[in-house]
């Protein structure tokens, strides 16, 4: 493996910086110097659910293990704050920014600002609009799940196990976010291709438990014959269960509830028969995120997408897997 001297690295970085300042578009991700210790930014989207907390804990634990300084921010559900958080990390001179972009378009300026400042960005779990920013050019790579595949796996389970149930309420995630767009695409296309099902309503519950409950309540009133609820995450699925029970319906019997994420509470709900099936969305990013960053610093070629493995839980394995769920 080739290592370059600090002087050569600084000269190259300065030249790239000068071009950027002159307004010349650089079709290259900024380089990362090889060092023993790094100052790393992690711009989190929000912390309102177990999935986000598990992801943050995994990032913090890995930074601590490596002895790296982690500049952590929580955008509290605001894309505008997340852009400001990234700008603050740039001002603090971090070496790398891990960004979990809340929505696909509003975070583009943050990605571009980091690139202009010579700081490589690694997207974690959510992506940005590919027509506006590209892996290997504007940011280094995307690490996360294949969200289209997650939606498709839920649909495939339903097609095999529907037992005559066919009228679906879909609770979408945050509007404009890549998991909401892609989980909808994967599920809707597979359901359409299978035939015999109808999505009677599809509305955002913003990936949040109480919003999911409220939306499910309203949609169940408008569509009392709905017998399937597909929620884009566990939080909304758990909210939907509360809405079903309040309406006097039995989740798992009258209405099949399907979800994505695979947190402990949802896997327990599968054991209890309230959720029929859950596709895991693995939140344990720390080891892979930091390993990718250090491979890049060594000069290795990084793939534009690094896809996590996700499990699948239903009545056949939920009890056995419960202890391993986050
Ligand atoms: O981007 C991943 C999604 O975001 C998870 O499904 C959800 O729970 C989180 O907020």
């Amino acid at each position: 493996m080739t290592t370059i001297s600090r002087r050569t690295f600084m000269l190259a970085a300065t030249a790239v910086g000068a071009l950027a300042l002159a307004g010349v578009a650089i079709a290259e991700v900024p380089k990362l110097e090889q060092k023993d210790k790094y100052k790393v930014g992690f711009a989190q989207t929000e912390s309102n659910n177990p999935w986000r907390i598990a992801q943050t804990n995994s990032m913090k634990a890995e930074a601590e293990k490596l002895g790296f300084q982690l500049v952590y921010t929580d955008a509290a559900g605001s894309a505008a704050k997340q852009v400001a958080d990234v700008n603050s990390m740039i001002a603090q001179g971090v070496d790398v920014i891990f960004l979990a972009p809340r929505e696909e378009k509003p975070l583009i300026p943050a990605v571009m600002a980091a690139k202009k400042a010579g700081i490589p960005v690694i997207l974690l779990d959510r992506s940005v609009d590919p027509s506006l920013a590209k892996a290997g050019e504007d940011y280094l790579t995307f690490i996360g799940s294949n969200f289209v595949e997650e939606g498709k796996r839920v649909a495939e389970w339903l097609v095999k196990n529907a037992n005559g149930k066919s009228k679906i309420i879909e609770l979408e995630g945050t509007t404009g976010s890549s998991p909401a767009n892609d989980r909808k695409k994967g599920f809707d296309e597979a359901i359409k291709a299978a035939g015999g099902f109808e999505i009677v309503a599809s509305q955002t519950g913003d990936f949040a438990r109480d919003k999911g409950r409220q939306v499910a309540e309203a949609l169940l009133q408008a569509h009392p014959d709905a017998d399937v609820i597909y929620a884009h995450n566990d939080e909304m699925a758990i909210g939907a269960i509360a809405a079903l029970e309040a309406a006097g319906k039995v989740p798992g019997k009258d209405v099949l509830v399907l979800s994505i994420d695979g947190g402990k509470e949802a896997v327990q709900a599968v054991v209890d028969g309230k959720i029929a099936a859950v596709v895991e969305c693995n939140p344990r990013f720390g080891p892979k995120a930091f390993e990718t960053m250090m491979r890049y610093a060594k000069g290795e070629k990084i793939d534009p997408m690094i896809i996590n493995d996700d499990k699948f839980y239903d009545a056949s394995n939920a009890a056995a897997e419960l202890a391993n769920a986050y």
Side-chain angles (χ1 to χ4, degrees):
M1 192 178 307
T2 319
T3 46
I4 59 168
S5 71
R6 184 177 164 77
R7 183 178 149 70
T8 313
F9 177 88
M10 291 313 289
L11 283 172
T14 309
V16 169
L19 282 171
L21 280 175
V24 180
I26 315 290
E28 230 185 49
V29 179
K31 299 279 177 265
L32 179 62
E33 189 183 353
Q34 252 189 300
K35 298 200 277 191
D36 289 339
K37 299 289 171 203
Y38 290 95
K39 183 174 174 183
V40 173
F42 173 39
Q44 179 59 285
T45 304
E46 55 211 344
S47 300
N48 62 345
N49 71 44
W51 193 95
R52 289 279 145 208
I53 291 164
Q55 186 192 36
T56 298
N57 288 345
S58 176
M59 292 296 289
K60 285 185 174 171
E62 194 64 17
E64 198 180 322
K65 189 172 129 195
L66 294 164
F68 292 0
Q69 184 186 346
L70 189 71
V71 178
Y72 169 76
T73 54
D74 174 356
S78 158
K81 177 171 184 316
Q82 200 171 25
V83 172
D85 289 344
V86 170
N87 285 331
S88 157
M89 286 173 185
I90 295 170
Q92 291 175 64
V94 298
D95 297 301
V96 173
I97 295 174
F98 291 112
L99 169 64
R102 178 169 160 81
E103 291 148 56
E104 287 194 325
K105 285 191 172 69
L107 268 299
I108 294 288
V111 172
M112 295 310 185
K115 180 183 179 185
K116 199 170 171 195
I119 301 171
V121 170
I122 295 178
L123 298 185
L124 291 190
D125 99 73
R126 292 188 186 180
S127 199
V128 290
D129 186 327
S131 69
L132 300 174
K134 295 198 175 359
E137 269 181 39
D138 302 309
Y139 61 91
L140 181 61
T141 183
F142 162 82
I143 304 176
S145 293
N146 181 334
F147 294 134
V148 176
E149 192 60 27
E150 288 177 345
K152 190 171 163 216
R153 289 175 80 187
V154 176
E156 285 169 351
W157 186 94
L158 178 62
V159 171
K160 280 198 202 122
N161 299 281
N163 282 327
K165 298 204 187 312
S166 66
K167 294 197 181 308
I168 305 165
I169 287 175
E170 182 167 355
L171 297 177
E172 299 171 23
T174 299
T175 304
S177 70
S178 60
N181 293 341
D182 291 354
R183 286 171 182 171
K184 180 164 183 60
K185 181 178 158 63
F187 179 85
D188 290 12
E189 284 178 1
I191 281 297
K192 199 172 163 207
F197 292 89
E198 186 191 354
I199 299 174
V200 294
S202 185
Q203 203 174 303
T204 183
D206 203 16
F207 283 132
R209 188 177 298 208
D210 202 48
K211 184 84 188 289
R213 182 190 60 75
Q214 288 170 31
V215 173
E217 207 171 276
L219 294 181
L220 283 165
Q221 272 170 20
H223 304 277
D225 57 344
D227 48 18
V228 177
I229 294 182
Y230 162 46
H232 287 190
N233 81 343
D234 287 351
E235 286 298 291
M236 296 188 296
I238 292 164
I241 289 171
L244 284 167
E245 288 174 339
K249 299 194 187 228
V250 181
K253 188 164 167 272
D254 301 325
V255 177
L256 291 182
V257 179
L258 306 165
S259 176
I260 297 176
D261 268 1
K264 223 181 242 329
E265 199 177 346
V267 179
Q268 180 65 56
V270 178
V271 175
D272 298 341
K274 294 188 176 191
I275 293 184
V278 185
V279 174
E280 186 195 37
C281 181
N282 191 343
R284 300 173 177 107
F285 280 76
K288 206 179 268 183
F290 284 90
E291 182 219 62
T292 303
M293 168 197 149
M294 288 185 287
R295 284 199 296 113
Y296 182 58
K298 278 190 208 156
E300 285 184 33
K301 189 173 164 356
I302 305 297
D303 289 338
M305 287 183 109
I306 300 173
I307 300 301
N308 289 339
D309 287 332
D310 294 326
K311 295 183 186 178
F312 190 97
Y313 306 108
D314 65 6
S316 68
N317 66 346
E321 289 283 353
L322 187 58
N324 304 322
Y326 64 90

